[in-house]
Amino acid sequence: MKKRSLGKSDVEVSPIGLGCWQFSQEKNIAGRFWGFLEYRQIKEIVSSSLECGINWFDTAEVYGNGASERALANALSELNIKPGKVIIATKWMPALRFASSIVGSINKRQEALHPYPIDLYQIHNPFSFSSIKSQMKAMAQLVRQGKVRFVGVSNFSAEDMRRADNYLSAEGLALISNQIRFSLLDRSIEENGVLDMAKELGVIIIAYSPLAQGLLTGKFHDDSRLIGKRSGFRKFMKGFRKEQLKRTQPLIDVLHEVALSHNATLAQIALSWAITFHGQHIIAIPGATNVRQAKQNAEAMQIDITEKELSRLDQASRAVIL
């Protein structure tokens, strides 16, 4: 599958990148969402992703207070990946902070990711003490200083996206991306105006949780006893309740049938659908906690899902959306 433009930038990325939240090594509350990964495992996951065609990685300040960023940079360095050969996206956490900390904390982000430059810097969510205008002005300052290349947001509504883009336009820049939840089990961006606004503004959607925290792999439907054993905090999420597993089983059945025709896994078909159904407008960042998952996620880019299959999955999805 060909690379895609990262919004209105000159950067081209693989339709699937690697989400790196799981590299947090349980360093803080956010980091404890996932189990502990040894550094050796992290390096193997990064290596496998690169070998299978992934050229960009998404991390964040809040993922282990920089632990994920440091682990990613160390792995890339030990793999002899030169700065500029991969695309790095990270995020500033706005909660309980002012826009001034965007500029004030950038050195820590650069240190954590050294020697790799920050290609895409994103506002992690809209919950800041400062206005969107102030945040975009701070982001624009970083771009002018050469500390980041492009500006994105995450979990922004349609109207907040427009405001962010307008404020950046006043600075001679453009909003590049909105990272937001999207999968066969969560298609709210199609109904709340986010996807339409992204298309209008030329903003690319970066889909996180494209496998619905593992629900679309089918493993929890096949054996609900796994819930509580390997699901971590996910066991408290709505979709993992037994009655919800039963309700979403018809979609899993369709995924099984489509996967069989491609000699693929359910996860690969779910990922292929996510990056194909809306054309070039959505890219995805599934995570991986082992080499097998990393390879399978990347190889989903090679699946040529048909229009008939896209439509069939669309219909099955709409019948069971959480």
Side-chain angles (χ1 to χ4, degrees):
M1 188 174 286
K2 293 182 179 179
K3 291 185 175 67
R4 298 180 183 177
S5 295
L6 190 60
K8 290 183 284 190
S9 77
D10 58 356
V11 173
E12 291 194 336
V13 295
S14 49
I16 290 177
L18 179 67
C20 299
W21 184 6
Q22 70 281 8
F23 293 173
S24 303
Q25 297 188 304
E26 300 184 338
K27 294 295 185 181
N28 61 358
I29 293 176
R32 287 195 288 274
F33 187 91
W34 301 95
F36 184 86
L37 284 179
E38 298 287 347
Y39 176 69
R40 170 189 56 80
Q41 296 172 287
I42 292 173
K43 184 178 176 181
E44 289 172 349
I45 290 168
V46 171
S47 178
S48 296
S49 298
L50 290 166
E51 289 172 1
C52 293
I54 282 175
N55 77 331
W56 67 290
F57 301 83
D58 179 85
T59 181
E61 172 186 25
V62 75
Y63 299 163
N65 288 332
S68 171
E69 294 170 320
R70 289 188 291 272
L72 172 62
N74 289 340
L76 290 169
S77 293
E78 291 190 12
L79 291 168
N80 296 314
I81 304 300
K82 302 299 182 184
K85 293 298 183 182
V86 291
I87 306 302
I88 303 295
T90 192
K91 298 182 281 292
W92 170 75
M93 174 51 71
L96 303 178
R97 297 165 91 180
F98 293 94
S100 58
S101 79
I102 293 175
V103 176
S105 64
I106 191 62
N107 289 345
K108 290 184 177 180
R109 308 279 58 75
Q110 291 177 307
E111 290 169 5
L113 287 163
H114 181 77
Y116 300 94
I118 299 171
D119 296 289
L120 178 64
Y121 203 32
Q122 305 155 94
I123 305 292
H124 207 142
N125 58 56
F127 308 119
S128 170
F129 284 147
S130 294
S131 66
I132 292 175
K133 182 177 182 179
S134 296
Q135 293 174 67
M136 293 305 111
K137 280 183 171 293
M139 285 289 200
Q141 180 178 337
L142 295 183
V143 174
R144 287 193 295 268
Q145 293 173 344
K147 295 186 176 181
V148 306
R149 292 180 65 190
F150 301 104
V151 179
V153 295
S154 182
N155 300 301
F156 270 40
S157 69
E159 284 307 309
D160 284 347
M161 286 171 60
R162 183 187 292 281
R163 293 188 186 96
D165 187 66
N166 285 342
Y167 293 131
L168 285 172
S169 294
E171 302 285 339
L173 302 172
L175 184 66
I176 297 301
S177 61
N178 187 6
Q179 185 175 142
I180 202 159
R181 186 179 286 109
F182 176 75
S183 73
L184 280 163
L185 285 174
D186 189 335
R187 301 173 63 174
S188 55
I189 64 171
E190 298 173 338
E191 306 297 330
N192 61 18
V194 167
L195 182 58
D196 288 339
M197 183 63 72
K199 292 178 180 179
E200 178 184 332
L201 299 175
V203 169
I204 198 161
I205 294 293
I206 301 175
Y208 71 79
S209 296
L211 297 177
Q213 299 295 337
L215 280 174
L216 292 171
T217 67
K219 64 183 180 182
F220 297 108
H221 290 77
D222 291 342
D223 186 357
S224 62
R225 291 174 299 178
L226 293 176
I227 300 173
K229 294 181 179 179
R230 295 189 311 194
S231 61
F233 289 127
R234 288 173 289 181
K235 63 188 175 184
F236 301 111
M237 299 171 69
K238 177 182 177 182
F240 289 82
R241 299 171 188 166
K242 288 187 178 181
E243 65 272 18
Q244 292 297 331
L245 291 174
K246 183 177 180 180
R247 193 175 70 82
T248 54
Q249 184 66 52
L251 172 60
I252 299 301
D253 292 341
V254 174
L255 280 169
H256 267 296
E257 294 174 20
V258 176
L260 185 62
S261 67
H262 289 274
N263 191 28
T265 67
L266 275 69
Q268 288 176 318
I269 297 302
L271 288 173
S272 180
W273 180 90
I275 61 175
T276 304
F277 188 70
H278 288 290
Q280 303 287 305
H281 296 287
I282 297 179
I283 54 181
I285 47 167
T289 55
N290 57 58
V291 168
R292 175 184 57 81
Q293 290 176 355
K295 288 182 176 179
Q296 288 180 350
N297 290 347
E299 289 168 355
M301 294 186 289
Q302 309 305 320
I303 295 174
D304 188 15
I305 197 167
T306 68
E307 288 294 331
K308 183 177 180 180
E309 290 167 338
L310 286 170
S311 178
R312 189 177 178 203
L313 287 164
D314 173 41
Q315 294 176 16
S317 165
R318 292 184 185 280
V320 302
I321 286 176
L322 295 174

